[in-house]
Amino acid sequence: MSAHRDRGTARPRHRKRNTALAIGVPLALTAAGTLAYGSVYGIGAGAEQASAATAPAWATATADGFASVNSLGQNGTYGGRDGKTVTVKTLADLEKYATASEPYVIVVAATINMNPVGKEIKVQSDKTIVGSGTSGQIVGGGFFLGTGVHNVIIRNLTIRDSYQGIWNDKDHDFDAIQMDGAHHVWIDHNDLRHMADGLIDVRKDSTNITVSWNKLSNNNKTFGIGWTENVVTDITIHHNWLRETEQRNPSTDNAAHAHLYNNFLEDTAGTTITSSYGNYSRGKTKMVLENSYFQGFTNPVIKDSTAAIVQKGNTFVGTSGRNESGGTAFDPKTYYAYTLDKTADVPSLLKSGTGPRSSIGTTATTTAAAATTLTVAKDGSGQYSTVQAAVNAVPANNPSRIVIAVKPGTYRETVKVPANKPHVTIQGTGGSRKDTVIVYNNASGTPKPDGSGTYGTSGSATVAAEADDFQARNLTITNDFDEAANQSLSGHQAVALRTAADKVFLDSLIINGDQDTLLLDTAAADRLGRVYVRNSYVTGNVDFIFGRATAVIDQSVITLKKRWNGTSAGYITAPSTPAARKGLLINRSTVNGDVSNASFFLGRNWHAGGDATLRPQTTVRNSTLSAAIKTTPWSDMGGFSWKNDRFAEYKNTGPGAGSASSDRPQLTDTQAADQEVADWLGDWTPTAS
């Protein structure tokens, strides 16, 4: 470690929420202890698969709402992104891949006619079915998700025209999307219309469903939820445009939690379709209805005597009949984070933002208005040829998400996202995080070209994120500084990725380096800086996860490397945490690497600048530790005893785990209950966008 700026002061403690993060966790990491590093960048077998086609830019997105909540053994909804990407243009191919047992991202690039009419493909778990631009259309049938099917995403498709000429058709149960006992399903940015029965049926205890940014139109029975005596369904319905639909808009029967917000229900006078009712809460449903816009609807909001509806911020224009509320419901924010758009903006926002996008990379986000996408490609096919040029094009103080979509290639450059450019996502568009690489080789002791000194540790970063609400995913970020060839330099600390901001979400990355690989900092000593890293690989040897941020490394792989001279020795973490804040939490992860047994410490206490007021903290819990970890896994640093700071383990496994002793503190169950991911992140729930 080299000298860094002093760290300091505290943040208020947030109330712990009884909720899971709004994120998805790939199947390849649900049993992180089984992963082993392979060739090139050390991805274990199965963690990355070769793609048969280029994945759409948004194929790695994860659901928000109830589909993001950890339950039933499924942590979020991310579809088939851990599988191959295939493009289909025929019914046979669509059915082949949708019904397969392994995960797939299935890109529908043609109009596919169902044969026979009314056919519903029985989709299996771990699938993303996504239209290519507006060309993905399913005509005369749809999809069926049966009991136990889970982790399915259906996006950017038009599903239409199974209508058989009878308006209230009792003989043809032809749905666009039907679920019977499925869970963790995300239906997003589709155009569903003119079907013989329902556009969407969520039946028989299906749960953890999110339906967002869809256009539902020209139908009798639009959207039914329930058909069960059990009260288990959790569903989020937001930013959908329902127009010229008669009933079930939706009808919600015995749902445990139904959260409807920012929807637009429109019944235009003088058409042949007249609404009979809008949002209906039936049985024992608890419904929260927020910031939705009802125009021309008959009976816009109704409820049974046994059901609950809590209304907030809705607008009713030209409506008539029943408009009801009553009972107690629930607070959706105890389950996930979300952002409400202004009710007055909903009609225009949804008219322009719902349904399939003509350009797959410019879809609206699942929180507010359409995100701006800037494309980067070395071959000149994008708007910019370097990542930094795209960052430079982001306007200062941009109010909403800007996605920098980086096409596969190696980009040898440094990238800095300054503090005045929040809400930026840098995302690789390849089928694997290995396909898009940002790399440079500055070290702390590297002289600056202008002769003004050396870079220092923080200045050596290949990628520096100084703006709040920054996200990066599906990338490799590397500092390939060659220590052996640069022994004359005074400082060998070489950062791959530095964060100095709050609400930083790092998802599906490879972060490569040797000493000081990942610097998790804050914007200033008195500023909170929360970072959530998940489904990622971090490599290094000395203090390679370090800093004063409040940071979680979750369901990831930490790989230990030998030093430049072939020796095995090092430290994983070097926190410099202020006394009243949380430090580093390594959770449900794997530590491995081709190094000697008992040669690495889990961490040491960094009192930056000799500041005795700091209380460095690392907790390693529920993780698999290789034999490389020392039996006394914590070390002093800079004359400060680690035993006076905060270092502990909880229920780790593997040959490197050990029992409690004065040299190896273990949390009690009571202590561990206050050292979970939600305690670290407080009122922030990381959500991909």
Side-chain angles (χ1 to χ4, degrees), residues 34 40 121 170 193 285 304 340 431 445 482 484 519 546 618 624:
T34 65
V40 190
I121 293 175
K170 303 292 187 181
R193 52 185 158 91
T285 293
D304 286 353
L340 290 169
D482 187 344
L519 171 51
F546 71 110
T618 296
T624 303

Side-chain angles (χ1 to χ4, degrees), residues 43 45-52 81-85 102-104 431-432:
I43 298 300
E48 297 285 354
Q49 300 185 40
S51 294
R81 74 177 187 185
D82 291 327
K84 295 179 181 178
T85 298
E102 60 266 37
Y104 279 104
S432 163

